[in-house]
Tab-separated table of all heavy atoms in Angstrom:
chain	number	residue	atom	x	y	z
A	141	ASP	N	203.223	47.932	-12.204
A	141	ASP	CA	204.162	47.271	-13.073
A	141	ASP	C	204.605	48.250	-14.078
A	141	ASP	O	203.860	48.738	-14.910
A	141	ASP	CB	203.610	46.053	-13.730
A	141	ASP	CG	203.358	44.942	-12.649
A	141	ASP	OD1	204.120	44.703	-11.661
A	141	ASP	OD2	202.246	44.394	-12.708
A	142	VAL	N	206.039	48.421	-14.301
A	142	VAL	CA	206.561	49.379	-15.189
A	142	VAL	C	207.750	48.428	-15.984
A	142	VAL	O	208.566	47.812	-15.348
A	142	VAL	CB	207.291	50.568	-14.507
A	142	VAL	CG1	207.983	51.372	-15.539
A	142	VAL	CG2	206.269	51.386	-13.755
A	143	ALA	N	207.719	48.632	-17.294
A	143	ALA	CA	208.696	47.931	-18.132
A	143	ALA	C	209.007	48.736	-19.318
A	143	ALA	O	208.197	49.718	-19.583
A	143	ALA	CB	208.131	46.467	-18.489
A	144	LYS	N	210.077	48.502	-20.104
A	144	LYS	CA	210.335	49.147	-21.256
A	144	LYS	C	209.533	48.572	-22.363
A	144	LYS	O	209.601	47.349	-22.697
A	144	LYS	CB	211.847	49.045	-21.654
A	144	LYS	CG	212.740	50.147	-20.935
A	144	LYS	CD	214.099	50.217	-21.426
A	144	LYS	CE	214.748	51.366	-20.866
A	144	LYS	NZ	216.177	51.591	-21.309
A	145	VAL	N	208.849	49.407	-23.211
A	145	VAL	CA	208.153	49.081	-24.252
A	145	VAL	C	208.639	50.000	-25.376
A	145	VAL	O	208.504	51.187	-25.361
A	145	VAL	CB	206.564	49.268	-24.016
A	145	VAL	CG1	205.817	48.918	-25.361
A	145	VAL	CG2	206.095	48.392	-22.888
A	146	ASP	N	209.105	49.402	-26.427
A	146	ASP	CA	209.682	50.095	-27.585
A	146	ASP	C	210.734	51.218	-27.085
A	146	ASP	O	210.736	52.349	-27.578
A	146	ASP	CB	208.618	50.833	-28.328
A	146	ASP	CG	207.586	49.795	-29.042
A	146	ASP	OD1	208.150	48.753	-29.368
A	146	ASP	OD2	206.489	50.048	-29.320
A	147	GLY	N	211.533	50.789	-26.099
A	147	GLY	CA	212.589	51.644	-25.552
A	147	GLY	C	212.179	52.699	-24.622
A	147	GLY	O	213.056	53.458	-24.124
A	148	ALA	N	210.996	52.695	-24.221
A	148	ALA	CA	210.538	53.674	-23.291
A	148	ALA	C	209.853	53.036	-22.022
A	148	ALA	O	209.134	51.983	-22.300
A	148	ALA	CB	209.576	54.666	-23.907
A	149	TRP	N	210.044	53.578	-20.867
A	149	TRP	CA	209.424	53.110	-19.721
A	149	TRP	C	207.856	53.362	-19.704
A	149	TRP	O	207.388	54.498	-20.078
A	149	TRP	CB	210.004	53.617	-18.421
A	149	TRP	CG	211.375	53.326	-18.180
A	149	TRP	CD1	212.505	54.140	-18.223
A	149	TRP	CD2	211.920	51.991	-17.730
A	149	TRP	NE1	213.580	53.447	-17.920
A	149	TRP	CE2	213.252	52.218	-17.616
A	149	TRP	CE3	211.299	50.794	-17.510
A	149	TRP	CZ2	214.131	51.083	-17.300
A	149	TRP	CZ3	212.148	49.740	-17.147
A	149	TRP	CH2	213.558	49.875	-17.119
A	150	GLN	N	207.088	52.281	-19.560
A	150	GLN	CA	205.653	52.450	-19.499
A	150	GLN	C	205.050	51.541	-18.507
A	150	GLN	O	205.506	50.477	-18.074
A	150	GLN	CB	205.108	51.987	-20.860
A	150	GLN	CG	205.410	52.985	-22.026
A	150	GLN	CD	204.787	52.519	-23.326
A	150	GLN	OE1	203.688	52.059	-23.337
A	150	GLN	NE2	205.390	52.863	-24.431
A	151	VAL	N	203.847	52.031	-17.886
A	151	VAL	CA	203.085	51.232	-17.074
A	151	VAL	C	202.358	50.181	-17.825
A	151	VAL	O	201.742	50.398	-18.757
A	151	VAL	CB	202.129	52.074	-16.237
A	151	VAL	CG1	201.145	51.266	-15.484
A	151	VAL	CG2	202.863	52.951	-15.266
A	152	ILE	N	202.504	48.856	-17.373
A	152	ILE	CA	201.911	47.791	-18.181
A	152	ILE	C	200.825	47.094	-17.295
A	152	ILE	O	200.205	46.149	-17.813
A	152	ILE	CB	203.002	46.808	-18.610
A	152	ILE	CG1	203.788	46.214	-17.447
A	152	ILE	CG2	203.841	47.439	-19.605
A	152	ILE	CD1	204.715	45.030	-17.814
A	153	GLY	N	200.651	47.397	-16.024
A	153	GLY	CA	199.685	46.746	-15.178
A	153	GLY	C	199.599	47.203	-13.764
A	153	GLY	O	200.495	48.011	-13.385
A	154	ALA	N	198.692	46.749	-13.000
A	154	ALA	CA	198.666	47.150	-11.596
A	154	ALA	C	197.764	46.025	-10.874
A	154	ALA	O	196.837	45.431	-11.495
A	154	ALA	CB	197.929	48.558	-11.416
A	155	GLY	N	198.050	45.912	-9.660
A	155	GLY	CA	197.344	44.888	-8.810
A	155	GLY	C	198.150	44.397	-7.687
A	155	GLY	O	199.020	45.116	-7.107
Side-chain angles (χ1 to χ4, degrees):
D141 294 314
V142 178
K144 271 193 175 176
V145 179
D146 296 329
W149 293 112
Q150 293 186 28
V151 168
I152 59 171

